[in-house]
Amino acid sequence: AVDWAKTNGYLWHEKAHKHKKKGKGAEQELDWIMIKKVSEYIKFTVDIKVHLWDLHEVEVEINAEKKPLSSAIIQVVLNGEVEYDWQSWGSKSGQKLSKKFTGWLSMIYPKITEEHWVYTDQLYYRMLNLQGQMKKFFDMQGKKNIYKQKLEED
């Protein structure tokens, strides 16, 4: 996730990291946030929450070579947000120019218009790319296309 953030121009920050020993394994909770300032008015935020249960070391044989790996039950939750007026230009009291400027910006970047969906789509597809990279890293992607036979029949 850190490499993805750097490659895509996001600032990465770890909000929380918890580790508890439980029986033979461990439980870990990670809370990360990634922020990208798209413009002076629009900001993307991606929240990643990772929860691991029964985390323990195992030895696996790959190509006749033993390798130490980690085994766990894992849950990864991704949430994204497109934030408008992230610098709060509209809330600075006593500044008539600021309020007029914010009003003008809200006309340019209205929340429910075509422009809104452009930014929402950008964030959505970037998050899909991140999800794909995480699945590849955790070796959670299917190696076969389960619909291949069905597609060949049609």
Side-chain angles (χ1 to χ4, degrees):
V2 178
D3 290 339
W4 183 91
K6 287 178 183 177
T7 303
N8 288 282
Y10 285 77
L11 294 173
W12 178 86
H13 176 70
E14 185 172 52
K15 293 191 319 188
H17 182 123
K18 296 178 186 174
H19 181 89
K20 299 179 223 166
K21 280 292 240 179
K22 287 201 169 183
K24 293 181 182 179
E27 181 178 355
Q28 277 192 350
E29 290 181 62
L30 309 168
D31 195 355
W32 301 327
I33 189 166
M34 295 184 281
I35 299 168
K36 180 175 185 169
K37 296 171 185 171
V38 179
S39 71
E40 295 297 316
Y41 192 69
I42 296 173
K43 177 174 76 172
F44 291 163
T45 304
V46 177
D47 254 333
I48 302 175
K49 295 188 184 326
V50 181
H51 197 155
L52 298 122
W53 295 271
D54 194 27
L55 175 64
H56 59 278
E57 300 300 316
V58 294
E59 197 170 88
V60 178
E61 192 172 314
I62 301 173
N63 298 329
E65 189 178 320
K66 292 186 177 187
K67 290 189 175 189
L69 296 176
S70 296
S71 176
I73 299 166
I74 185 168
Q75 177 187 39
V76 180
V77 178
L78 299 173
N79 285 309
E81 178 186 9
V82 178
E83 185 179 343
Y84 294 87
D85 192 18
W86 62 270
Q87 296 189 63
S88 302
W89 286 338
S91 65
K92 295 176 182 170
S93 61
Q95 298 179 4
K96 289 182 182 179
L97 181 62
S98 173
K99 288 180 181 177
K100 285 184 180 184
F101 185 62
T102 303
W104 178 74
L105 281 174
S106 349
M107 288 190 297
I108 292 176
Y109 295 110
K111 296 203 181 210
I112 310 293
T113 64
E114 192 172 311
E115 287 86 10
H116 168 73
W117 296 114
V118 168
Y119 290 108
T120 304
D121 279 358
Q122 283 180 14
L123 180 59
Y124 175 76
Y125 287 109
R126 286 184 177 143
M127 288 176 62
L128 276 180
N129 175 267
L130 173 61
Q131 179 192 34
Q133 287 187 18
M134 292 175 91
K135 283 181 169 183
K136 190 174 184 179
F137 176 79
F138 290 119
D139 196 22
M140 295 174 78
Q141 286 184 323
K143 307 270 189 276
K144 298 178 184 177
N145 184 348
I146 59 171
Y147 300 107
K148 186 177 179 182
Q149 184 180 1
K150 177 69 176 155
L151 290 170
E152 289 173 355
E153 291 173 0
D154 290 340

